[in-house]
Amino acid sequence: MSRDTDASTLLTRAIERESQEAGCPAAISTATWTPWASATFSGARHLVSLTASASSALDEWLAALPEADIDVRGHLLASMAVNSLRRSENTVTIELEALTIEE
């Protein structure tokens, strides 16, 4: 991983890693980001779509996600929320929104 890897790539890698560790591997479908800044911080807003197999492990992981301490190197994950869930037979499509702040 290069030192100049952007926050979006680092975040999506972290989400995939965390889902794997939780026993509900998720695959990122799309990930977009836009720059964000306040008077004292700069960072990015992220929209991430992912899919995973339906399971109780996935439901537990998603419920805990807003409070999860996910390591995104060089950034602070300030917030993460599940915007939507779409369930089909055995697959769940999830849309997440996150805010990262540069350290």
Side-chain angles (χ1 to χ4, degrees), residues 19-81:
S19 69
Q20 185 84 21
E21 290 174 3
C24 53
I28 304 296
S29 306
T30 62
T32 60
W33 65 277
T34 55
W36 172 90
S38 70
T40 54
F41 300 106
S42 63
R45 289 199 177 278
H46 307 266
L47 294 174
V48 181
S49 295
L50 53 141
T51 57
S53 295
S55 69
S56 59
L58 177 66
D59 293 338
E60 291 172 18
W61 181 68
L62 291 172
L65 207 51
E67 300 300 320
D69 185 18
I70 298 175
D71 182 33
V72 181
R73 184 177 40 90
H75 304 270
L76 170 68
L77 179 59
S79 67
M80 182 176 290

Side-chain angles (χ1 to χ4, degrees), residues 6-19 25-34 44-52 58 61-62 65 70 72 77 79-86 92-100:
D6 65 69
S8 180
T9 300
L10 293 169
L11 178 63
T12 56
R13 288 176 183 168
I15 290 169
E16 287 178 327
R17 180 183 65 245
E18 293 287 328
S19 69
I28 304 296
S29 306
T30 62
T32 60
W33 65 277
T34 55
R45 289 199 177 278
H46 307 266
L47 294 174
V48 181
S49 295
L50 53 141
T51 57
L58 177 66
W61 181 68
L62 291 172
L65 207 51
I70 298 175
V72 181
L77 179 59
S79 67
M80 182 176 290
V82 177
N83 280 353
S84 70
L85 290 172
R86 289 184 304 278
V92 180
T93 302
I94 305 119
E95 291 189 11
L96 303 176
E97 182 175 357
L99 174 64
T100 55

